[in-house]
Amino acid sequence: MNIKKFTSVQIGHVCAHFERSVEHGKYSNEIINEHADKTALNYNLAPDRDGQVNYIHEMLEKVKHQNRKDLIVMASCIVHVPPGLNERHYDDFFKESYNFLVDRFGKQSGLENPEDIVISCYTHWDETTPHFHFAFCPIFDDGRGPRFLAKKAISRDNLQTLHQDLQKHLREKGIYCNILTGSTIRDERGKSVPMWRYKKIQAERTRERNIERSRRF
């Protein structure tokens, strides 16, 4: 899972990729061209908008922002189906991952309806691994009301526990899978450490806590 940021001059072709508005056979990604028969399986988890780009401009009219060319007006979080997840759970995985991201990035926006930050959330079944693109306006309430503030909305602190918190959310919803499948992971200080090292540290801490508890009783 990673997050990319886009300015207003970049959103057109990115949104077209999300909604698959390019003519079949003319994608730069040959995998999409080869799996055109699966494109019909794609769907949007987000509320219907009158065009993604139009919606971004609507939010720019409603929400305060600086008038600068490099203003980040859209961010996209891509979430892949993790290895080992049974195919019959894919839709539930997408739905609950979507709900988690709305809660994560929407509630901090200060908007009355957290889901208003969402531009689209298209699932893609016509590439190598099923995934979705959670496209949203990086809006944050810093005490002055909702504003386009990408650095605050997608802060380092917010990202440090993003994967772990999503993992916890999915398990609470009865979806048992491992999204922490990368070779590295960020520790509590935000530093990248090998997965084996991270697991070893967590195991050592669990053992220390258990020893401490046993001493109390």
Side-chain angles (χ1 to χ4, degrees):
M1 179 166 58
N2 61 75
I3 296 180
K4 294 183 179 180
K5 305 171 186 177
F6 305 94
T7 63
S8 59
V9 298
Q10 299 172 311
I11 58 177
H13 74 278
V14 177
C15 289
H17 170 75
F18 293 162
E19 65 189 28
R20 293 293 194 260
S21 59
V22 178
E23 184 180 347
H24 286 309
K26 294 187 178 181
Y27 287 98
S28 57
N29 186 340
E30 286 301 323
I31 294 176
I32 300 175
N33 294 325
E34 293 172 4
H35 294 82
D37 58 318
K38 293 184 178 180
T39 300
L41 299 175
N42 298 346
Y43 59 86
N44 184 16
L45 285 156
D48 290 333
R49 309 297 190 195
D50 184 21
Q52 296 178 85
V53 175
N54 288 341
Y55 187 73
I56 294 170
H57 289 303
E58 287 178 15
M59 295 304 292
L60 285 169
E61 292 179 1
K62 295 178 181 179
V63 180
K64 293 180 180 179
H65 60 278
Q66 293 183 327
N67 291 318
R68 27 188 303 189
K69 291 182 179 180
D70 62 347
L71 177 71
I72 302 300
V73 299
M74 180 178 77
S76 173
C77 179
I78 183 171
V79 178
H80 289 85
V81 168
L85 181 66
N86 192 296
E87 195 169 335
R88 69 174 183 270
H89 298 308
Y90 283 8
D91 288 323
D92 289 336
F93 170 82
F94 285 145
K95 177 183 176 182
E96 289 305 332
S97 296
Y98 172 80
N99 290 338
F100 169 82
L101 292 172
V102 169
D103 185 76
R104 185 79 166 206
F105 295 105
K107 286 189 175 180
Q108 65 181 10
S109 70
L111 299 176
E112 184 175 351
N113 179 8
E115 200 172 22
D116 284 348
I117 67 160
V118 184
I119 300 163
S120 66
C121 186
Y122 282 97
T123 64
H124 287 165
W125 302 77
D126 51 2
E127 295 185 58
T128 304
T129 303
H131 60 273
F132 71 53
H133 295 269
F134 180 82
F136 65 101
C137 294
I139 298 171
F140 186 87
D141 186 349
D142 62 352
R144 297 176 292 172
R147 303 170 68 89
F148 273 82
L149 292 171
K151 287 185 178 180
K152 294 286 187 179
I154 314 171
S155 66
R156 181 178 178 180
D157 289 342
N158 196 346
L159 298 180
Q160 278 183 8
T161 60
L162 186 64
H163 290 77
Q164 292 94 322
D165 291 345
L166 174 56
Q167 179 86 76
K168 180 181 178 182
H169 173 81
L170 291 170
R171 288 181 176 174
E172 289 175 348
K173 297 300 180 179
I175 302 171
Y176 299 97
C177 60
N178 182 20
I179 64 169
L180 305 176
T181 55
S183 59
T184 62
I185 189 171
R186 292 187 182 278
D187 63 14
E188 289 83 354
R189 296 169 297 174
K191 293 184 177 181
S192 295
V193 297
M195 178 64 78
W196 68 267
R197 177 60 180 163
Y198 177 82
K199 289 182 177 179
K200 183 177 180 181
I201 293 172
Q202 294 300 97
E204 290 175 350
R205 289 178 178 173
T206 298
R207 182 175 61 82
E208 290 172 357
R209 286 195 295 267
N210 289 338
I211 292 174
E212 182 63 27
R213 290 194 190 100
S214 65
R215 289 174 178 172
R216 294 177 183 175
F217 295 100

